[in-house]
Amino acid sequence: MALYTKAAEILLKVERQQGAVKTLVYDSKFGNIKQLFALVCETQKFAPILQEIIESTKLLKHTKLKMHLAKVLVFDLLMGQGLKCGGSWKALLMKHRSRLQAELARMKVKKKVSRNEDLLPSSVKELASDLLPRYVRVNTLKTTVEDAVDYLKRDGFSYLGEASKLDDLTLKAREFVKDLHLSELLVFPPKTDFHDHFLYKAGHIILQDKASCLPAFLLNVPPGSHVIDACAAPGNKTSHLAAIMKNRGKLFAFDMDAKRLATMSTLLLRAGVTCQQLAHQDFLKVDPHAKIYEGVEYILLDPSCSGSGMVCLQDCDSSPSADPHKDAARLSSLASFQLRCLNHGLSFPRLKRLVYSTCSVHCQENEEVVAACLQKNPAFRLVPLLSQWPERGLQPLTQCLRASITKTRTHGFFVAMLEKRHTADIITTSQPPVQIRDPEVAPHSPPEAALFEASLESEVTSAPANKKTKKRKRNKKKSIAVAET
């Protein structure tokens, strides 16, 4: 019941322009964020149709429900995967189900369509999520790509071989290909549903967006290594790391949310992961010099972010935020947190490589965080990633990767890999702040990276340093006064 209450509350706030969908969903602290995303987005998409059904059947009068709550309940009953609640609400809706279904059927007959999506106006039909393929990662801890392909072919899917270009990912129903960049990734048409499929239930396949597979793939941890997944839940990247490690070595996974960690434990069990050590702990409070972590050489850091790259949010977040200053403050706070996590990760003494990733499109959370971190950590350098990848980090950090629905057919994403330099290559002199060229920023605007770097510098400047600066200024004034006399 909490799911529907929270979704109705967010829809009401969006209607009153009390915030953007992405901000409201993240700030809700709901246990299953993805489930809440989907319900809010899909209900908002079908809102006019749902309202017409509710008004035609006089549902509010018969049930005393509020409109926004009625919308989310009716959506799941008629267009979703069924009501996920019991009690009085389910009893109410089931009592009126026949009338609601009849009204939906009448609307389809009237418009001469057979699918729910065809009731939508043309401006709404082609949403970004409708262009996003269904990506399926084969879990090599339990099967092989070849065996998974053979099983799917026997199940009625048509295998078209390995893709060679992005256009090959445009597929018809029941067709699938092997991805052109990640060999363990299979690609299906948008919204192909595997939740009831044997391979999914048995943990042989993982439903994971291609961009989300990049961090573990690029970190490429050798079997037997000691690895940290710093902000691990819900666990798809953790299971991917374990598969690459072949379950050999130690995989330390941290998360601050106990419920998400419990869900993650179930996911890892289904995926056959055995090398993990889960900890309900803040990564920033983990001691890099503790004996248990002395062998850590690789870290995957995917910290909390704005989620602005998630296609679901792009689709349903059409209304501007009621308070842009609040959104800007939240973005600044996130970037500061991300930088602290990144600096902390690089402090592990035997670290060789760290992958930093976000599902954000904002330069402030991506290139600017990396640039500020490199200023503080001259012993590390950026590693150029996947030269054939079609979308790069903003200038001058083109070693990094970006992803988007238009250029890579994925959710919006950012990935950077930092590697420890050889001792002889470490830069000992101070480097000027990197200026990120954001194409969306006007040429005459102050460089955001420089401003961000300056603000970060001001946060970490120590009081003794300030006193020394003031003392030097006083001494300088005294010498000038002596010279003048």
Side-chain angles (χ1 to χ4, degrees):
M1 295 174 83
L3 169 67
Y4 299 110
T5 304
K6 188 59 66 176
E9 178 186 316
I10 289 172
L11 288 171
L12 179 60
K13 287 182 177 179
V14 170
E15 186 178 287
R16 292 176 175 175
Q17 295 192 335
Q18 293 177 350
V21 172
K22 63 185 177 185
T23 304
L24 295 169
V25 171
Y26 269 99
D27 288 350
S28 70
K29 309 297 183 185
F30 187 72
N32 191 332
I33 289 292
K34 286 188 177 180
Q35 187 183 38
L36 183 61
F37 281 164
L39 182 59
V40 171
C41 292
E42 290 299 302
T43 303
Q44 191 175 48
K45 183 169 74 171
F46 284 96
I49 296 161
L50 294 168
Q51 184 157 340
E52 185 176 339
I53 292 172
I54 291 166
E55 290 175 349
S56 298
T57 56
K58 296 183 171 57
L59 184 67
L60 302 186
K61 179 181 178 181
H62 294 300
T63 62
K64 307 301 182 186
L65 292 170
K66 300 291 185 183
M67 176 59 81
H68 295 90
L69 181 57
K71 282 181 181 178
V72 293
L73 289 168
V74 172
F75 169 79
D76 243 7
L77 178 68
L78 298 183
M79 302 173 181
Q81 297 180 353
L83 289 172
K84 303 175 185 68
C85 68
S88 58
W89 286 355
K90 186 170 185 177
L92 273 176
L93 268 292
M94 296 305 287
K95 182 179 178 181
H96 298 279
R97 182 172 61 174
S98 298
R99 292 170 55 242
L100 293 167
Q101 289 175 332
E103 182 59 27
L104 177 60
R106 187 193 66 77
M107 291 173 69
K108 289 179 180 177
V109 170
K110 184 178 179 181
K111 294 193 176 184
K112 298 180 181 179
V113 298
S114 58
R115 302 186 312 153
N116 294 330
E117 289 76 9
D118 294 331
L119 292 170
L120 297 169
S122 56
S123 58
V124 178
K125 285 180 186 177
E126 284 300 315
L127 295 175
S129 56
D130 296 328
L131 304 174
L132 189 67
R134 162 66 76 189
Y135 292 100
V136 171
R137 176 170 61 81
V138 176
N139 179 16
T140 54
L141 291 176
K142 287 200 164 185
T143 187
T144 65
V145 174
E146 292 73 21
D147 285 349
V149 168
D150 286 343
Y151 189 98
L152 290 162
K153 285 163 66 176
R154 292 196 303 271
D155 199 31
F157 287 92
S158 176
Y159 181 54
L160 305 183
E162 186 172 345
S164 59
K165 57 185 184 299
L166 208 58
D167 287 344
D168 292 342
L169 304 187
T170 302
L171 301 162
K172 297 177 183 177
R174 308 294 289 180
E175 292 180 343
F176 74 107
V177 296
K178 189 188 293 184
D179 185 67
L180 63 162
H181 296 110
L182 282 71
S183 60
E184 294 169 0
L185 203 63
L186 304 178
V187 190
F188 295 80
K191 299 186 178 180
T192 304
D193 189 11
F194 282 99
H195 288 92
D196 291 325
H197 199 278
F198 166 76
L199 292 181
Y200 173 74
K201 289 183 174 180
H204 290 206
I205 59 173
I206 309 290
L207 306 183
Q208 185 174 1
D209 183 65
K210 178 177 177 176
S212 176
C213 294
L214 288 173
F217 170 77
L218 293 168
L219 192 57
N220 195 24
V221 178
S225 302
H226 288 199
V227 191
I228 284 178
D229 189 350
C231 306
N236 281 340
K237 296 181 186 70
T238 314
S239 69
H240 195 185
L241 283 170
I244 293 169
M245 297 165 63
K246 303 183 189 302
N247 254 342
R248 301 206 299 270
K250 290 184 179 178
L251 176 49
F252 303 100
F254 301 97
D255 204 89
M256 292 177 63
D257 190 315
K259 288 184 179 179
R260 281 161 56 89
L261 209 61
T263 302
M264 175 179 168
S265 180
T266 303
L267 183 150
L268 296 182
L269 180 65
R270 185 174 64 195
V273 176
T274 58
C275 62
Q276 82 279 17
Q277 292 188 30
L278 304 187
H280 179 210
Q281 188 175 356
D282 181 355
F283 174 63
L284 287 171
K285 294 181 180 177
V286 174
D287 181 5
H289 301 284
K291 187 172 178 60
I292 190 173
Y293 306 122
E294 64 182 3
V296 169
E297 295 180 322
Y298 304 91
I299 293 178
L300 192 157
L301 174 62
D302 188 74
S304 298
C305 71
S306 64
S308 52
M310 295 186 68
V311 168
C312 166
L313 292 183
Q314 295 170 10
D315 280 345
C316 64
D317 193 22
S318 56
S319 59
S321 171
D323 190 351
H325 295 294
K326 183 179 178 181
D327 280 357
R330 178 173 176 270
L331 204 60
S332 178
S333 176
L334 282 168
S336 179
F337 165 74
Q338 291 152 358
L339 181 61
R340 290 200 305 275
C341 289
L342 194 47
N343 285 332
H344 185 66
L346 297 187
S347 68
F348 283 75
R350 292 190 60 187
L351 185 71
K352 291 181 179 178
R353 291 200 303 266
L354 180 150
V355 164
Y356 171 75
S357 62
T358 74
C359 54
S360 170
V361 298
H362 297 303
C363 173
Q364 191 173 350
E365 296 179 273
N366 298 332
E367 289 88 354
E368 291 184 15
V369 167
V370 172
C373 177
L374 290 171
Q375 290 293 314
K376 293 281 185 282
N377 299 277
F380 288 84
R381 68 179 184 92
L382 277 176
V383 179
L385 301 174
L386 289 182
S387 59
Q388 71 273 31
W389 189 259
E391 189 169 8
R392 314 304 306 180
L394 300 179
Q395 290 282 0
L397 304 189
T398 54
Q399 303 97 320
C400 308
L401 302 183
R402 276 180 169 261
S404 63
I405 185 68
T406 53
K407 294 184 180 178
T408 61
R409 300 287 292 277
T410 67
H411 288 283
F413 216 78
F414 173 84
V415 189
M417 184 189 292
L418 289 81
E419 180 180 71
K420 184 168 283 187
R421 298 175 184 270
H422 296 296
T423 307
D425 298 332
I426 295 177
I427 301 172
T428 55
T429 56
S430 177
Q431 299 296 305
V434 176
Q435 295 186 1
I436 309 300
R437 297 181 197 170
D438 190 337
E440 295 181 2
V441 177
H444 63 272
S445 301
E448 289 186 11
L451 294 174
F452 181 56
E453 174 69 16
S455 67
L456 292 169
E457 289 283 357
S458 65
E459 286 182 14
V460 299
T461 301
S462 62
N466 288 337
K467 290 178 181 178
K468 288 179 181 178
T469 304
K470 291 176 181 178
K471 187 175 181 181
R472 283 197 296 268
K473 287 181 179 179
R474 286 198 299 270
N475 290 340
K476 188 174 179 181
K477 288 180 179 178
K478 287 180 181 178
S479 62
I480 291 171
V482 170
E484 286 176 349
T485 57

